[in-house]
Amino acid sequence: MAKTCMINRELKRAKLVKKHAAKRAALKALVSSVSAAYEEKIAAIAALNDLPKNSSPVRVRNRCEDSGRSRGVYRKFKLSRTKLREATMRGDVPGLRKASW
């Protein structure tokens, strides 16, 4: 089980990403625009730097919804490999079963 503070930190980051997503997208579009003036681009880059660091989607880490584990998380199931195996053995994941050959 991951520390509660780490799980809460990830939730806070996800909330910040959602809050600043529209503003960040608009500023990035302005920076990559061909028709924008140089001064506008510099101002947009400065505005991007003024946004909180944790509002960047790159900083969000996938975590297991059961245990909070940050490594070995399957995106499709949002579970870590160990919890996915346990859920599969219990039959909680439809269409998934232990391999046997």
Side-chain angles (χ1 to χ4, degrees):
M1 185 72 185
K3 289 200 262 182
T4 311
C5 64
M6 299 301 286
I7 295 170
N8 290 338
R9 185 181 301 166
E10 290 300 324
L11 293 174
K12 182 180 175 182
R13 284 180 181 156
K15 193 188 301 185
L16 271 174
V17 167
K18 195 173 185 180
K19 179 181 177 183
H20 294 285
K23 186 174 185 179
R24 182 174 286 276
L27 290 171
K28 283 191 166 230
L30 186 62
V31 169
S32 63
S33 172
V34 179
S35 62
Y38 180 74
E39 291 79 21
E40 291 176 350
K41 288 185 179 188
I42 296 299
I45 291 171
L48 268 173
N49 286 336
D50 289 340
L51 288 175
K53 283 185 179 181
N54 284 333
S55 70
S56 175
V58 174
R59 292 178 69 100
V60 176
R61 180 115 173 130
N62 290 337
R63 287 196 175 267
C64 175
E65 290 193 350
D66 276 357
S67 63
R69 183 182 166 90
S70 63
R71 296 182 178 202
V73 177
Y74 288 85
R75 288 182 192 167
K76 185 174 182 180
F77 305 107
K78 296 182 181 176
L79 293 173
S80 66
R81 57 187 176 80
T82 54
K83 292 296 178 177
L84 181 63
R85 183 175 187 274
E86 290 173 9
T88 303
M89 297 303 265
R90 283 193 310 265
D92 292 344
V93 184
L96 197 64
R97 64 179 194 193
K98 185 179 174 194
S100 174
W101 61 90

